Amino acid sequence: MKALYWGFTAMWDELSRLAQKYPTLMRVEVMGTSREGRAIPVVTLTQFARATAEEKSAVLVDANIHAGEVTGNAAAMYWITQCLEMYGNDQEITALLDDHTVYVVPRLSVDGAEAYLTTPAWLRSSPHTYPYSAPPEGFYPDDVNGDGVILHMRIPAEDGAFVPDELDPRVMRQRRPGEIGGTYYHVFPEGRIHRQSRSGDLPPFARAYNRARSGMDFNRNFPIRWANEAGQDGAGPFPLSEPELRCFAQWIIAHPNIAAYAALHTSGGVILRQPSTGDDTVLSSFDRLLFTRVADMGAEASGYFAGSNFEKFATGHEAVLMPGAADDWMYDHLGILGFTIELWDLAHRAGARGYGEYGMRHMIQRTPDERTDDERKIYAWVDREAIDQGVFPWTAFHHPDFGDVEIGGLHPKYVIQNPPLHLLEEECARISPFLTRLGLSTPKLRIPYLRVTKEADHVYRVVAEVANGGFLPTTSTEKGKTHTLDKLTATLEGTVEFLSGSSPYIMDHLDGYGGRDAWATPIRQRGVVEWVVRGASDEEVTISFFAPRAGRVSRSFRLSFEA
């Protein structure tokens, strides 16, 4: 298994190689194409010899919806390879592919990630110009000194708000109230001023409005509490305006066997669950139990923290928290149990405070001294763990717009947003067990009881019981019961005449064992169907139970069979 930051061509070559090597376990298809014409891959993993992918409950994992979060893509590729290479040798992975289906979209932002990996550019999701049709006048991040990385600049100024830290001068601490007598700086990303207006000489900061050429955020473009650009940066002109997301949403709707979902992001070292709209009382008690138990399992398996989107991200200042996000759409509109996993936690590794552990409300309440102390710890960790690649010392440079500046800071791509390459495999390995167990948590139908009794010549009574042995209900969540129109159905197929009962027979959905927090009979995990049929004693018939998110279980027998 390899943990790499995959370029687009290398990623597709590896997926094609694996599909050729493991034809009974893997298929790779093109889900759609990006704005720039790149193919978006979707991988299906299951033991096809046992049943079709669509006849098994499925987990969907997507990654790299944000261009710079390439650790998610690395983790998805790593898990795909692990599932294939360890099938038949690892009990959990073998059970996962035998009895369930795995769908993986290893990179959604195929255009943006390629720009991120091959140029100095910072961007959120897509490299196309947005929200403007043409970049307006203002300040844009750029690799001014040509070293291949967009760092930070510090410019000495009497009105500067920052000063080098006394203990570690690489750290820029906030200037204290009333502080005088030192050398103070403005600090902001490395970049250039893009001029358009024709005017006389003006000081550079007169045009330094913060701008972004590529401000599209795919994870604000889903049709859930969507807000336009005035209410949410990067939201797009309308929900699912982006071709990458439109084909993704259409593909999800076309695969109703998806019962669980995970989105791989960076960073924070936290498994995020529902709800996003308030504290845990927003959820039903049933769904709250499912979400918390699965998230806590993931935290134990990975060593990450766990909490709700609201607990970790809400500051109290938001009108709507993260409108247009994928995990909200999956739960609120489709009733699917879903999680956002923020890989890589630089702060926690360094012994500093991070939102994954404390939440954003606590983070914004840190004092300036606490922020400086956290920054010192991070620099000290980078000195130990990312020698010669993580820290760029402040270096003098004559800037074409601002004159004499210094450029430096931490590597934004492979220290802050993603781990250094030598730590990537460790990060991928941490999350793989959770993804496997999430897949194993999806519904799993079984037939624990089947009895055929002869009532008269060529007349037989057939009684069968179906049970859900999965953690999740056959609708994925309680909310899913209101969103899933197709019920659990039982069918009896063969050359018989139905004297009592019908086929198909519509049944109620079944809970999984995850909804049980007290001792009780499993009445809601099981269902019974009964038929009286006329047929030849040697007639072979097949009974099947099927629900879109639970898959199919079948058993064939002759009417002369008695048990």
Side-chain angles (χ1 to χ4, degrees):
M1 288 172 282
K2 295 183 288 188
L4 297 174
Y5 292 122
W6 296 90
F8 176 78
T9 300
M11 175 185 69
W12 263 106
D13 288 347
E14 179 66 3
L15 293 174
S16 299
R17 183 189 73 82
L18 290 170
Q20 290 175 0
K21 185 176 180 179
Y22 300 97
T24 64
L25 298 176
M26 175 180 173
R27 292 175 187 165
V28 59
E29 301 168 285
V30 175
M31 188 179 69
T33 55
S34 68
R35 280 181 177 269
E36 295 182 356
R38 291 184 175 87
I40 302 169
V42 58
V43 172
T44 302
L45 302 175
T46 197
Q47 176 49 271
F48 293 100
R50 292 174 65 95
T52 66
E54 294 75 20
E55 290 188 311
K56 302 176 185 178
S57 61
V59 60
L60 167 63
V61 176
D62 74 55
N64 215 169
I65 194 171
H66 291 139
E69 298 176 3
V70 289
T71 304
N73 170 257
M77 296 289 287
Y78 183 92
W79 186 52
I80 290 169
T81 307
Q82 184 183 67
C83 287
L84 296 170
E85 292 184 353
M86 298 186 71
Y87 177 81
N89 297 311
D90 180 274
Q91 181 183 14
E92 290 186 348
I93 287 174
T94 303
L96 175 65
L97 298 194
D98 278 349
D99 299 329
H100 306 268
T101 295
V102 170
Y103 297 123
V104 184
V105 182
R107 174 168 289 157
L108 272 166
S109 180
V110 287
D111 295 343
E114 195 68 3
Y116 183 90
L117 290 165
T118 60
T119 74
W122 294 354
L123 65 161
R124 187 61 168 160
S125 289
S126 176
H128 76 279
T129 301
Y130 175 86
Y132 307 102
S133 56
E137 184 172 79
F139 177 82
Y140 291 85
D142 195 8
D143 178 23
V144 179
N145 64 0
D147 64 356
V149 185
I150 298 175
L151 298 167
H152 279 83
M153 300 191 301
R154 66 182 190 185
I155 302 176
E158 289 186 9
D159 60 339
F162 295 89
V163 61
D165 176 46
E166 292 81 0
L167 298 181
D168 187 342
R170 298 173 300 179
V171 174
M172 300 301 292
R173 68 162 175 81
Q174 286 181 265
R175 187 177 178 181
R176 299 183 179 98
E179 182 177 352
I180 62 172
T183 301
Y184 305 107
Y185 294 85
H186 297 303
V187 183
F188 50 93
E190 180 183 357
R192 287 292 312 271
I193 293 176
H194 174 64
R195 290 181 170 83
Q196 286 186 333
S197 59
R198 301 179 65 181
S199 63
D201 289 338
L202 293 174
F205 287 117
R207 293 188 174 95
Y209 303 103
N210 290 318
R211 305 294 193 195
R213 287 187 175 86
S214 304
M216 182 66 220
D217 187 339
F218 284 172
N219 205 35
R220 300 294 181 269
N221 192 232
F222 286 88
I224 173 70
R225 295 187 292 277
W226 180 84
N228 63 17
E229 194 67 24
Q232 172 60 55
D233 293 343
F238 55 88
L240 298 182
S241 62
E242 305 311 293
E244 295 89 343
L245 296 201
R246 197 156 55 249
C247 71
F248 182 49
Q250 290 170 337
W251 184 90
I252 290 170
I253 298 301
H255 290 78
N257 60 327
I258 297 169
Y261 169 68
L264 302 181
H265 290 242
T266 61
S267 59
V270 61
I271 296 172
L272 298 165
R273 59 169 175 82
Q274 291 295 308
S276 297
T277 55
D279 63 27
D280 282 0
T281 58
V282 171
L283 298 175
S284 69
S285 59
F286 188 91
D287 284 357
R288 182 167 64 248
L289 185 64
L290 297 182
F291 273 111
T292 55
R293 289 190 66 192
V294 174
D296 289 346
M297 175 273 290
E300 182 179 0
S302 64
Y304 288 167
F305 301 101
S308 72
N309 291 323
F310 185 80
E311 174 192 348
K312 296 300 182 182
F313 279 118
T315 65
H317 298 292
E318 305 88 359
V320 179
L321 183 65
M322 297 184 298
D327 55 353
D328 290 342
W329 177 67
M330 293 289 281
Y331 177 64
D332 282 16
H333 284 197
L334 304 180
I336 294 173
L337 191 92
F339 302 86
T340 292
I341 305 167
E342 299 282 358
L343 296 93
W344 180 236
D345 190 355
L346 171 62
H348 186 65
R349 282 179 178 253
R353 302 166 185 85
Y355 86 88
E357 181 176 7
Y358 294 99
M360 288 303 299
R361 191 182 296 267
H362 177 87
M363 294 298 288
I364 65 174
Q365 291 172 347
R366 289 178 300 167
T367 67
D369 287 345
E370 288 174 333
R371 293 170 186 262
T372 300
D373 181 60
D374 286 339
E375 196 78 2
R376 290 182 195 129
K377 291 176 180 177
I378 289 172
Y379 269 87
W381 181 90
V382 175
D383 285 341
R384 297 190 306 270
E385 300 292 338
I387 302 170
D388 299 329
Q389 57 180 310
V391 178
F392 292 77
W394 293 108
T395 303
F397 181 78
H398 188 76
H399 195 283
D401 298 318
F402 300 105
D404 291 335
V405 305
E406 292 176 273
I407 298 176
L410 297 174
H411 200 306
K413 292 187 176 183
Y414 303 112
V415 166
I416 296 175
Q417 193 169 27
N418 300 282
L421 183 59
H422 70 280
L423 295 176
L424 180 60
E425 182 174 347
E426 176 186 339
E427 205 65 28
C428 294
R430 293 180 71 173
I431 202 59
S432 293
F434 171 60
L435 300 178
T436 299
R437 290 168 197 168
L438 178 62
L440 289 171
S441 299
T442 58
K444 183 179 177 180
L445 296 181
R446 289 291 180 263
I447 302 175
Y449 179 94
L450 174 62
R451 183 173 294 276
V452 180
T453 56
K454 186 176 180 179
E455 301 294 321
D457 287 344
H458 305 298
V459 176
Y460 299 88
R461 183 180 302 274
V462 179
V463 179
E465 183 180 46
V466 61
N468 176 15
F471 179 87
L472 297 180
T474 55
T475 56
S476 178
T477 63
E478 186 172 60
K479 183 181 282 287
K481 294 177 182 179
T482 64
H483 297 339
T484 305
L485 298 179
D486 293 327
K487 298 289 188 178
L488 174 66
T489 59
T491 58
L492 183 67
E493 296 179 329
T495 306
V496 296
E497 177 188 357
F498 286 88
L499 304 179
S500 175
S502 62
S503 177
Y505 177 75
I506 308 302
M507 308 177 68
D508 289 333
H509 279 288
L510 304 177
D511 287 349
Y513 69 84
R516 307 278 296 281
D517 61 352
W519 291 352
T521 62
I523 186 67
R524 296 180 64 182
Q525 282 181 250
R526 297 191 174 201
V528 175
V529 62
E530 182 178 18
W531 293 283
V532 177
V533 298
R534 177 182 287 119
S537 62
D538 61 348
E539 177 67 24
E540 183 174 86
V541 296
T542 299
I543 185 171
S544 295
F545 295 93
F546 175 78
R549 291 181 182 173
R552 182 183 304 278
V553 61
S554 301
R555 185 170 172 183
S556 298
F557 55 93
R558 297 190 184 280
L559 290 177
S560 57
F561 161 82
E562 289 196 23

